[in-house]
Amino acid sequence: MKKVFVCALLVSLLAAVPAFAQKSYVNGIDPNYPPFAYVDEKTGQPAGFDVDALNWIAKTMNVQISHKPMAWDGIIPALMGKQIDMVCSGMSITPERAKMVDFSNPYWTVSRVFLVPVDSKLTPRDILSQKIKLGVQRGTSEANAIKQEQAKKGYGFELRFYESAPLAVEDLLNGRIQAALMDELPADDAISKGAAVKKAGVHGAPDQFGVAIRKGDKELRAILDEGYRKLMADPYWQELQKKYLHK
């Protein structure tokens, strides 16, 4: 009788091994970058296009992924310092970042736009040539690109840096800045929520978004690339776009 009990116990323990062996990863997100990643005011939980996409991938690929909100300008150092395992939060793939981290295959392409008050007559040419105040989110690819462009071409605007795109929109509405440069979808999100702003035009080349991972993490990259391949072939991919990106 004792032997039967021991055998049954061993069988139950062996059956439980896969559950305990499930890989667990932490994704770092910008807590205020709608519609890709943000903290839902009603639930207090991470939400957005990227969060839902990764949750689907985690379930499909049999891994666990949690989401950790953190300051954007410190998110790559946090990844390199192993505080998080990936950054899936509307991160543009750039040569500068690729020197520090690896990226998954691109999963989205987005344009950069100038945002101005709804009654503004500023054009992209005006923004680049006049002595205005231009807002941009600190640590973003558009912030780095416009700083380099200004230094090279001698643009007259004064750059103002913000912790998030919504904070730049807030100062735009308050008249503290005359224009803001950001990815198109956060701009669309502000407009869809009723902010009295409009897109003045596109600036620069489109960005490709990818998931940042530590250098040499081939296992996680394989999971992400295969996960996105399956997601893009599933009807849920279109559902996500309709829910968050209004496609």
Side-chain angles (χ1 to χ4, degrees):
M1 197 69 165
K2 189 181 291 185
K3 289 182 179 178
V4 173
F5 174 77
V6 171
C7 289
L9 181 61
L10 286 172
V11 169
S12 65
L13 287 172
L14 288 171
V17 167
F20 289 113
Q22 191 178 40
K23 288 278 188 178
S24 180
Y25 299 99
V26 179
N27 173 42
I29 66 165
D30 183 338
N32 203 1
Y33 189 70
F36 282 93
Y38 56 93
V39 174
D40 190 295
E41 292 181 356
K42 294 180 180 178
T43 66
Q45 297 300 311
F49 182 87
D50 283 339
V51 171
D52 284 6
L54 271 192
N55 288 343
W56 188 95
I57 288 171
K59 184 177 180 180
T60 302
M61 300 301 292
N62 192 33
V63 297
Q64 293 182 345
I65 298 178
S66 59
H67 307 277
K68 183 177 181 179
M70 56 200 321
W72 186 252
D73 59 354
I75 209 161
I76 285 184
L79 175 61
M80 296 171 69
K82 299 185 178 182
Q83 298 175 40
I84 55 176
D85 303 299
M86 68 184 90
V87 179
C88 183
S89 185
M91 177 169 278
S92 301
I93 301 172
T94 67
E96 293 80 13
R97 288 172 176 159
K99 293 176 182 177
M100 299 181 284
V101 298
D102 287 340
F103 281 96
S104 68
N105 291 330
Y107 64 84
W108 199 259
T109 301
V110 65
S111 297
R112 297 173 185 166
V113 298
F114 286 120
L115 202 65
V116 297
V118 71
D119 58 353
S120 174
K121 295 181 180 180
L122 287 173
T123 66
R125 179 175 292 183
D126 294 333
I127 293 167
L128 296 175
S129 62
Q130 295 182 12
K131 291 185 177 180
I132 65 165
K133 294 181 177 67
L134 176 64
V136 68
Q137 183 179 357
R138 190 188 317 276
T140 59
S141 59
E142 57 267 25
N144 294 332
I146 199 69
K147 278 195 299 183
Q148 293 174 13
E149 197 175 338
Q150 182 183 37
K152 184 177 180 180
K153 298 185 179 181
Y155 293 144
F157 54 73
E158 177 188 338
L159 277 176
R160 293 285 181 90
F161 296 95
Y162 295 88
E163 295 305 316
S164 70
L167 287 176
V169 172
E170 186 178 318
D171 264 12
L172 191 62
L173 294 171
N174 291 333
R176 295 189 181 95
I177 57 176
Q178 286 71 55
L181 178 63
M182 64 184 67
D183 289 333
E184 187 170 28
L185 288 168
D188 287 341
D189 185 75
I191 293 169
S192 72
K193 291 176 179 174
V197 293
K198 65 181 181 181
K199 291 181 282 187
V202 175
H203 181 70
D207 281 347
Q208 286 191 313
F209 288 169
V211 184
I213 56 178
R214 280 186 290 277
K215 284 284 187 183
D217 194 342
K218 296 180 181 179
E219 181 179 10
L220 180 52
R221 172 160 187 175
I223 290 170
L224 292 168
D225 286 345
E226 179 65 9
Y228 272 104
R229 187 191 68 78
K230 290 181 176 180
L231 174 57
M232 291 176 185
D234 192 275
Y236 187 61
W237 183 242
Q238 300 302 322
E239 290 179 27
L240 282 178
Q241 293 177 52
K242 289 178 182 179
K243 180 179 180 180
Y244 290 108
L245 311 181
H246 314 294
K247 295 291 184 180

